[in-house]
């Protein structure tokens, strides 16, 4: 079978420069505060807060963007709190994960903002389900990051009030929620398939004693879609992007662990991620992988960084991708036909 290298080609779509600038400000300013105060873990929380504000910004009027972010934040924080409550017994996460993943699959393909928020809520459940307690002293940094992101979005909305960030209709989310309520969803088959695959990924990771089982399940979250060929494309691009991001991180941390230098790389990847995502999904995955792993390297600075995490990330991503591929071939006839046609062309 020929490798689908055409999936790595860059698109000619307009680049979202304003969104990139908002992301740069949202992540870098609160991270600088944490570095100034000598709080590596605070930097992680601050950057994630700012990154959230950037990832859940889909244009429209400022009031619409603010309500979308606040509503999503409530759901994500609630999921994280449930994860912390379940952290003592990881296997108890499985029923809750299956239920939330079913909801994600049910709403899949209806609205980009809603899909992103729901997937991030499940991701929060997974991450905090394997976090031994929540460092309350770091929460102000997360709040600072989110607040900075919202201010950046507000300034963007004010400066460009006659020209929205994207063509998204501010009422589209509300209309789609009404459509979902009326039964216009991806359907119970996809919801059941999505729930089964995500839950099975976590169960396998727990049974095989993976070091970070949440990462295995998380690798399935953003690739499974109702459209089988699109899911296969995302799966391939995610694997390639992760390997590129890991390679970049390896080079960066081998050059040194100076906090200000690493913060410069964090700012770079925060800025470049929206642009890379517009060019191709695998580039967005590479930028996101590098951003997260450089952040984690700063957290582990007292131990001289943590190169070991790069190997863990690669193993977890490939394992989660294998589970996702198996799930697609079992549950999605369109994915089976597409992959079969590719094999026949070999």
């Amino acid at each position: 079978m020929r490798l689908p290298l055409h999936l790595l080609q860059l698109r000619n779509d307009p680049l979202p420069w304003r969104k990139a600038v908002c992301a740069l400000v949202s992540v870098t300013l609160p991270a600088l505060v944490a570095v100034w105060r000598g709080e590596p873990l605070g930097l992680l929380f601050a950057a994630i807060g700012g990154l959230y504000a950037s990832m859940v910004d889909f244009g429209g009027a400022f009031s619409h963007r603010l309500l979308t972010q606040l509503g999503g934040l409530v759901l994500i924080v609630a999921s994280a709190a449930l994860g912390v409550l379940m952290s003592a017994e990881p296997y108890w996460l499985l029923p809750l994960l299956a239920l939330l993943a079913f909801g994600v699959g049910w709403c899949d393909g209806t609205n980009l903002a809603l899909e992103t928020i729901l997937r991030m809520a499940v991701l929060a459940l997974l991450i905090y389900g394997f976090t031994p307690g929540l460092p309350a002293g770091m929460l102000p940094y997360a709040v600072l990051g989110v607040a900075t992101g919202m201010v950046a979005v507000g300034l963007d909305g004010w400066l460009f009030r006659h020209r929205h960030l994207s063509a998204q209709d501010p009422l589209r989310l509300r209309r789609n929620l009404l459509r979902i309520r009326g039964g216009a969803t991806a359907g119970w088959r996809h919801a059941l398939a999505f729930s089964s695959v995500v839950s099975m990924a976590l169960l396998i990771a727990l049974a095989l004693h993976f070091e970070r089982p949440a990462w295995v399940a998380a690798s399935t979250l953003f690739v499974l879609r109702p459209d089988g060929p699109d899911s296969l494309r995302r799966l391939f691009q995610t694997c390639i992007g992760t390997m590129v991001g890991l390679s970049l991180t390896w080079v960066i941390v081998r050059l040194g662990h100076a906090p200000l230098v690493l913060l410069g790389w964090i700012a770079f990847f925060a800025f470049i991620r929206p642009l890379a995502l517009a060019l191709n999904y695998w580039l967005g995955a590479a930028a996101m992988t590098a951003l997260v792993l450089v952040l984690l390297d700063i957290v582990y600075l007292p131990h001289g960084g943590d190169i070991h995490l790069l190997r863990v990330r690669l193993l977890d991503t490939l394992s989660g991708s294998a589970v996702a591929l198996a799930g697609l071939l079992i549950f999605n006839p369109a994915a089976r036909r597409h992959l079969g046609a590719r094999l026949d062309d070999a």
Side-chain angles (χ1 to χ4, degrees), residues 35-93:
V35 170
W36 172 63
R37 293 180 59 85
E39 291 280 7
L41 189 58
L43 187 151
L44 175 65
F45 276 76
I48 288 176
L51 189 62
Y52 164 78
S54 140
M55 291 180 68
V56 190
D57 181 23
F58 297 96
F62 173 62
S63 59
H64 168 71
R65 294 157 78 177
L66 182 62
L67 287 174
T68 300
Q69 291 196 6
L70 289 176
L73 190 62
V74 170
L75 182 60
I76 291 167
V77 169
S79 294
L82 286 173
V84 172
L85 290 175
M86 299 286 185
S87 59
E89 295 290 342
Y91 280 97
W92 282 102
L93 273 177

Side-chain angles (χ1 to χ4, degrees), residues 3-18:
L3 289 175
L5 297 181
H6 65 284
L7 297 180
L8 304 182
Q9 294 177 355
L10 304 185
R11 296 189 291 263
N12 292 320
D13 297 347
L15 295 179
W17 293 104
R18 287 167 50 200

Side-chain angles (χ1 to χ4, degrees), residues 240-253 289-290 293 310:
I240 295 295
T242 299
M243 287 188 283
V244 171
L246 286 168
S247 301
L248 287 172
T249 308
W250 183 84
V251 172
I252 289 168
V253 298
T289 298
L293 290 176
L310 304 185

